[in-house]
Amino acid sequence: MIQPQHMPVKFKHPGSYQKMCHLVASNIKDLVKGKGGKEYHNRPVIGLATGTTPLGVYEELKKMKNTNFSDTYTINVDEYIGLEPEFNARLKGKEGYGFPQHPKSYYHYMTEHLFRDINFKRSFFPGESQTDTFDSLIAAMGGIDIQILGIGTNGHIGFNEPGTSRDSLTHVVDLTESTIKDNSRFFDTINDVPKRAITMGIESIMRAKRIYLLAQGKHKKDIFDKAFKGEITPDVPASYLQEHSDCTVMYCD
Ligand code: F6R
């Protein structure tokens, strides 16, 4: 018999957004409680995403008062480029100049939604100067144990837009029109949305030991089906996850 090259993605049907988020958060809790390594390369490492979808997971994690996250590292999958200098330029001469967090940065978003309440050991974000080092940094930590992902309406994961190659590592991207439009809801006007970002690549994401991809809302149904019930294609970057050995995908209305 021909052995399959990989395990198929696992579909879970949690029934509600709240249950979906609870399931992912419980798995993170089990990881954190079970791993408990104190050495640098043996601490729990969680890969995080921004956007609306994972917010429920972060709410669930915040409820886990008996879980000690102080030895856990987090790594965010992507970050905008170009916000900081603009922000600093506007503030120049005013109090707050040099403040490292632009209010629209993903770093700030994560602080508001998670880091303010949970005291992780350390949290990492890719930066423009780190394209060559970010993947080695992750490897030095022993790799990502659990990676959380959303999916863009164009099939992107992280900011790996359609056309991204399977072997891509952390890299700078020009955001597509559709991503800029989708993300404009977080900005005053569409012109304020950064045009560039840095993202872990497909290969960087595929190296995670376990992946949970979450999708919510009818506007995600078509792309979810294309990604996980259709062929593996660079046109739908999330479809590469079909080749991962431990990837669970979940959709709810
Ligand atoms: C953001 C990220 C993106 C989002 C995707 C879905 O860090 O990695 O790939 O996961 O754009 O965004 P939401 O959840 O807002 O629909």
Side-chain angles (χ1 to χ4, degrees):
M1 196 180 99
I2 299 169
Q3 294 297 321
Q5 296 292 302
H6 53 265
M7 299 285 292
V9 285
K10 298 183 258 281
F11 289 89
K12 280 225 158 80
H13 306 279
S16 74
Y17 176 69
Q18 213 264 331
K19 284 186 183 147
M20 174 166 90
C21 293
H22 182 75
L23 190 148
V24 176
S26 304
N27 278 278
I28 292 175
K29 181 182 80 179
D30 292 347
L31 167 81
V32 170
K33 290 204 157 169
K35 205 167 183 193
K38 288 275 174 202
E39 304 99 48
Y40 177 63
H41 61 276
N42 196 28
R43 293 191 172 122
V45 183
I46 309 171
L48 304 173
T50 56
T52 313
T53 317
L55 290 180
V57 178
Y58 303 151
E59 289 308 310
E60 290 294 317
L61 289 177
K62 287 190 238 174
K63 288 184 203 160
M64 296 174 171
K65 301 288 179 212
N66 295 328
T67 307
N68 177 4
F69 290 96
S70 64
D71 284 321
T72 298
Y73 288 121
T74 70
I75 300 193
N76 265 77
V77 67
D78 49 14
E79 178 58 286
Y80 287 124
I81 289 177
L83 287 172
E84 227 64 70
E86 257 176 63
F87 185 56
N88 278 343
R90 264 190 254 150
L91 282 174
K92 201 161 187 174
K94 294 186 187 156
E95 200 183 332
Y97 180 66
F99 184 65
Q101 286 193 46
H102 189 286
K104 300 293 181 188
S105 69
Y106 282 169
Y107 184 83
H108 189 268
Y109 189 87
M110 291 305 302
T111 304
E112 290 296 304
H113 292 287
L114 190 63
F115 302 157
R116 234 186 247 304
D117 297 274
I118 295 187
N119 190 21
F120 292 106
K121 179 85 183 161
R122 218 175 140 187
S123 295
F124 298 89
F125 285 72
E128 196 174 3
S129 60
Q130 285 170 309
T131 43
D132 293 340
T133 52
F134 203 64
D135 292 282
S136 336
L137 173 93
I138 298 171
M141 283 189 260
I144 294 174
D145 292 300
I146 291 184
Q147 174 70 55
I148 301 171
L149 293 174
I151 180 170
T153 51
N154 65 359
H156 73 206
I157 46 174
F159 274 139
N160 292 285
E161 300 283 40
T164 308
S165 75
R166 165 68 181 79
D167 58 3
S168 52
L169 293 170
T170 300
H171 62 289
V172 171
V173 289
D174 291 322
L175 299 176
T176 59
E177 290 286 311
S178 86
T179 297
I180 291 172
K181 188 162 166 276
D182 284 352
N183 288 7
S184 65
R185 70 188 194 279
F186 294 111
F187 291 81
D188 293 339
T189 75
I190 195 163
N191 295 328
D192 296 330
V193 184
K195 310 285 179 287
R196 294 167 72 228
I198 179 158
T199 183
M200 281 165 54
I202 299 292
E203 171 60 21
S204 326
I205 291 172
M206 293 293 278
R207 288 177 184 170
K209 290 164 206 160
R210 196 189 309 163
I211 296 177
Y212 291 99
L213 181 137
L214 283 60
Q216 185 204 14
K218 293 194 169 60
H219 64 301
K220 295 281 179 78
K221 183 77 176 95
D222 279 356
I223 195 68
F224 181 86
D225 287 346
K226 257 194 206 150
F228 306 116
K229 297 177 185 168
E231 59 171 16
I232 300 173
T233 162
D235 296 342
V236 183
S239 68
Y240 289 122
L241 298 176
Q242 293 183 42
E243 290 180 352
H244 194 275
S245 58
D246 189 358
C247 175
T248 300
V249 299
M250 291 180 256
Y251 168 83
C252 66
D253 287 341

